[in-house]
């Protein structure tokens, strides 16, 4: 038997003051997008901002639905839009901001499993890491250098035998 440890370095920044200008701008865009989220059922509001290599920032926010599973998370609204608008452009980073009507979100809300999978598809497609920044309404910012860090042993197209 062999045991292998799989881990990653999570960077914890005490506040947004420790971000670079580029990162801080991206997070502010995610916050702006969050304020336009449509989340009347969960009252949990998420904004995502995708920074492309060409400098474009593509925004998304969660879009809920009376038929709950028909809604979509902010991150997927954003990356799918980025993929649709800039199919040949590399994604550098994604910032995610979360808030709630019911309490103050102080712990950064990490992207859900489905969003990790969707973002990982783009990372694999472009063959370069997508860094992820996430934060609640206040408090620390969490940062990881690659979506792969958040989805170890992920499923990707290498298993499909098409290449
Ligand atoms: N949500 C996101 O937008 N992103 C995530 O990664 C986690 C959850 C949304 C989905 C739903 O509209 C609300 O937050 C509560 O789950």
């Amino acid at each position: 038997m062999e045991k292998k440890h799989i881990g990653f370095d999570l960077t914890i920044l005490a506040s947004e003051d420790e971000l670079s200008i580029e990162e801080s701008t991206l997070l502010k865009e995610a916050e702006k997008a969050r304020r336009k989220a449509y989340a009347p059922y969960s009252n949990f509001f998420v904004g995502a901002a995708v920074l492309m290599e060409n400098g474009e920032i593509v925004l998304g926010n969660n879009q809920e639905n009376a038929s709950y599973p028909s809604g979509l998370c902010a991150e997927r609204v954003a990356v799918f839009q980025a993929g649709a608008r800039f199919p040949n452009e590399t994604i550098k980073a994604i910032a995610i901001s979360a808030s709630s009507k019911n309490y103050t979100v102080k712990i950064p809300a990490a992207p859900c499993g489905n969003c990790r999978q969707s973002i990982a598809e783009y990372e694999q497609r472009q063959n370069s890491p997508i860094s992820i920044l996430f934060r609640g309404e206040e408090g620390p910012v969490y940062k990881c250098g690659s979506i792969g860090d958040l989805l170890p042993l992920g499923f990707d197209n290498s298993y499909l035998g098409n290449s």
Side-chain angles (χ1 to χ4, degrees):
M1 186 179 70
E2 185 191 342
K3 283 195 181 182
K4 190 173 177 184
H5 174 78
I6 299 176
F8 75 100
D9 289 325
L10 179 70
T11 303
I12 300 178
L13 307 168
S15 78
E16 74 265 44
D17 300 342
E18 293 182 29
L19 293 170
S20 68
I21 292 173
E22 190 177 69
E23 290 170 333
S24 158
T25 303
L26 196 63
L27 186 60
K28 283 198 180 81
E29 290 296 323
E31 286 166 356
K32 272 197 251 167
R34 187 194 80 212
R35 292 189 194 101
K36 295 179 187 159
Y38 176 59
Y41 304 106
S42 70
N43 286 317
F44 191 76
F45 305 92
V46 185
V50 177
L51 176 64
M52 318 293 300
E53 194 70 55
N54 64 2
E56 290 272 356
I57 293 177
V58 179
L59 304 176
N61 45 33
N62 52 332
Q63 297 294 317
E64 295 189 347
N65 193 282
S67 173
Y68 292 4
S70 298
L72 200 63
C73 292
E75 297 89 327
R76 275 175 289 163
V77 170
V79 289
F80 290 162
Q81 195 194 163
R85 289 182 54 199
F86 303 106
N88 301 315
E89 204 64 44
T90 297
I91 296 174
K92 280 174 72 178
I94 305 178
I96 304 159
S97 169
S99 71
S100 168
K101 203 169 148 187
N102 304 322
Y103 75 105
T104 304
V105 180
K106 294 181 181 168
I107 298 171
C112 79
N114 280 311
C115 289
R116 294 177 197 203
Q117 181 72 28
S118 296
I119 298 167
E121 179 76 22
Y122 294 93
E123 188 167 273
Q124 205 220 15
R125 178 185 182 189
Q126 69 188 34
N127 196 26
S128 69
I130 299 174
S131 67
I132 313 287
L133 287 175
F134 43 112
R135 192 187 189 213
E137 255 173 290
E138 56 182 61
V141 182
Y142 287 1
K143 191 175 144 180
C144 60
S146 158
I147 189 69
D149 290 346
L150 298 181
L151 193 65
L153 297 182
F155 182 83
D156 64 28
N157 66 22
S158 65
Y159 293 102
L160 298 177
N162 295 329
S163 50

